[in-house]
Amino acid sequence: MNALLKRVWIGMAAALIASLAATVLPDHVRIADDGRIHLGAPESMASPSAVAPTPESTSPPLTRDAVDEVIRTAVSAAGLDPEQGRPTVAAGAAMNRTGWAAVREKASAQSEMDAICADLERQGWTLNPNGDRPQASRSYKRGGWYLVVSTRGQSQAPSTTSGSTDSQTYLTLTGLQLNLSDIPLPEITVRIR
């Protein structure tokens, strides 16, 4: 019985890791029709039914200050004052992370998120649709940064932001710099039964 439970836990852990990897690294993770997960597999090994990832625009690497300006511009384009929210990472605290969050009315948060996303696309950010839920969160990439726009949950909001009521939600933009192009990934195949 212990061996069976151990196999179940290992299988569940592998599925969770693969799901998270597919969300964060869609260019490096492929799930074949037969249930096999390929990490770092060359393009020739990909399943014929796999959807080709959207290529990232060839833009120079961005600095945190540039991403902060992108966030301010997108928030302003949505008709919001960036000062209505708060930064989720203190200035100078981390050069590879940034963000902004504000408590918004649920009735308007979706349209504000849509306007922010439209401005990000206008600014040249590439939509990264893997794992997105259009009504709750969308992720974009550009210049080594990933930017997630979300209208749900308190878990992503900074602790200094006041709590929300039932008619309110958090509108957040979370930026994370990842330079994955220099990391060679070995080919790993996992079969989940």
Side-chain angles (χ1 to χ4, degrees), residues 93-108:
M95 297 312 289
N96 64 346
R97 292 183 295 122
T98 190
W100 177 87
V103 175
R104 303 300 303 153
E105 292 298 318
K106 286 181 183 178
S108 61

Side-chain angles (χ1 to χ4, degrees), residues 2-69:
N2 285 338
L4 176 64
L5 285 174
K6 184 177 178 180
R7 289 182 72 190
V8 168
W9 280 108
I10 290 172
M12 288 174 49
L16 176 64
I17 290 169
S19 297
L20 290 172
T23 300
V24 175
L25 305 167
D27 298 340
H28 300 287
V29 178
R30 291 165 193 81
I31 301 175
D33 294 333
D34 64 357
R36 291 178 187 249
I37 301 166
H38 301 279
L39 302 176
E43 281 296 319
S44 62
M45 297 290 291
S47 168
S49 65
V51 176
T54 306
E56 182 177 356
S57 63
T58 56
S59 60
L62 296 174
T63 63
R64 177 186 165 169
D65 290 339
V67 176
D68 285 338
E69 184 58 33

Side-chain angles (χ1 to χ4, degrees), residues 63-92 97-101 112 115-117 119-120 122-123 125 142 147-149 171-175:
T63 63
R64 177 186 165 169
D65 290 339
V67 176
D68 285 338
E69 184 58 33
V70 163
I71 291 172
R72 280 191 295 275
T73 301
V75 168
S76 295
L80 301 172
D81 178 3
E83 300 303 317
Q84 287 179 330
R86 296 180 185 240
T88 57
V89 179
R97 292 183 295 122
T98 190
W100 177 87
E112 292 165 350
I116 288 171
C117 292
D119 192 70
L120 289 175
R122 182 196 61 77
Q123 292 185 56
W125 287 74
R142 179 177 166 215
L147 193 56
V148 178
V149 184
L171 177 60
T172 61
L173 283 86
T174 305

